[in-house]
Amino acid sequence: MLLEGKRILVTGVITEQSIAFNVAKIAQEQGATVVLTGYGRLSLVERIAKRLPVTAPVIELDATNPEQLAALADNVRGYVDGLDGVVHSIGFAPSTALGGTFLQTPWEDVATAVHVSTYSYKALAMATLPLMPNGGSIVGLTFDATVAWPVYDWMGVAKAGLESASRYLANYLGDQGIRSNLVSAGPLRTMAAKSIPGFEKFEESWTERAPLGWNLTDTVPTAKAVCALLSDWFPATTGEIIHVDGGYHALGA
């Protein structure tokens, strides 16, 4: 019962293959009360929410919409009286910003990728800050942005910004008892990954080279790391990036 009594807000549940779905599932199994947010097809998120151990309420949230962000705290209070943790599993880049067209991508599409995938981390933190007067844990998901990847292009730049933004949040929110950490997962066949042209280029290398091996369809190890960071077992850890990639990041050639 690692999260017994915790109140957790989870964004990014789309299908049962979503990392966020297993975060919500494991969090409930570990004793947490979970509230979900959904964007776009809310009925789909609500249907998936019923497949959790306990059906979780779903709040509409476009993390780039100032009005919805301003209303988020009050909407969450309709289900819980505060939060102990927030999970940011939000990312998007237009097709022109992915797939090898890095040099041709117009600024407008780059701006969209950065707004949704980077700035939304800070925006979500500030929107939920009133719900965490006694501190809490914010955890986001990244894909190793210390190197350039084939086809990942401007999403890689956006993830680099996300990793930096997490460190700045750690700096500015630490005196309020709020931790900010990221989990850097290896490639997983989620809906988001399937939308990236050529993403399969990562897969063969990862499964062959990761010291611990790598299962492209198993989001549970990543979700467990997120839940661990949401718990009280990392009380002095902030601004950190935990790799859950089978050890691939530690290798050279």
Side-chain angles (χ1 to χ4, degrees):
M1 300 300 284
L2 196 64
L3 297 172
E4 187 170 10
K6 300 290 188 186
R7 303 151 298 174
I8 308 295
L9 182 72
V10 180
T11 67
V13 172
I14 302 174
T15 70
E16 285 184 88
Q17 285 70 49
S18 301
I19 296 170
F21 176 84
N22 264 325
V23 170
K25 179 175 181 289
I26 294 168
Q28 286 186 343
E29 291 170 347
Q30 292 297 317
T33 299
V34 172
V35 178
L36 305 179
T37 72
Y39 170 69
R41 297 173 61 186
L42 278 191
S43 60
L44 174 61
V45 182
E46 290 167 346
R47 186 162 67 248
I48 298 299
K50 294 177 181 177
R51 300 177 186 175
L52 292 168
V54 178
T55 301
V58 180
I59 296 170
E60 183 176 13
L61 178 66
D62 174 353
T64 67
N65 184 308
E67 290 77 20
Q68 291 187 15
L69 286 165
L72 181 61
D74 285 340
N75 289 336
V76 170
R77 287 191 186 100
Y79 302 101
V80 291
D81 58 358
L83 290 175
D84 303 288
V86 176
V87 178
H88 179 279
S89 183
I90 298 170
F92 171 77
S95 60
T96 57
L98 300 160
T101 59
F102 183 88
L103 299 178
Q104 289 75 44
T105 308
W107 162 245
E108 292 76 15
D109 292 346
V110 173
T112 297
V114 171
H115 193 179
V116 178
S117 309
T118 307
Y119 187 80
S120 67
Y121 188 72
K122 191 279 295 190
L124 181 64
M126 296 308 294
T128 54
L129 191 59
L131 298 166
M132 296 186 283
N134 300 314
S137 175
I138 303 171
V139 184
L141 290 159
T142 188
F143 186 74
D144 189 358
T146 61
V147 296
W149 298 101
V151 311
Y152 207 46
D153 292 359
W154 286 102
M155 182 59 89
V157 176
K159 290 295 188 184
L162 172 66
E163 294 177 6
S164 183
S166 177
R167 290 188 286 269
Y168 276 94
L169 277 186
N171 179 42
Y172 284 108
L173 298 182
D175 62 355
Q176 299 179 56
I178 293 176
R179 296 170 283 131
S180 174
N181 294 289
L182 300 178
V183 172
S184 181
L188 292 163
R189 291 177 181 169
T190 62
M191 182 176 289
K194 290 175 182 177
S195 69
I196 300 173
F199 195 76
E200 66 278 358
K201 291 181 180 180
F202 300 122
E203 299 181 345
E204 183 177 346
S205 171
W206 223 283
T207 55
E208 289 180 353
R209 293 184 59 210
L212 292 176
W214 186 248
N215 186 331
L216 296 161
T217 61
D218 186 5
T219 63
V220 169
T222 303
K224 284 183 174 180
V226 172
C227 287
L229 287 169
L230 289 169
S231 78
D232 294 331
W233 282 89
F234 283 87
T237 298
T238 193
E240 186 59 89
I241 300 173
I242 304 296
H243 290 82
V244 182
D245 64 353
Y248 187 96
H249 74 282
L251 304 183

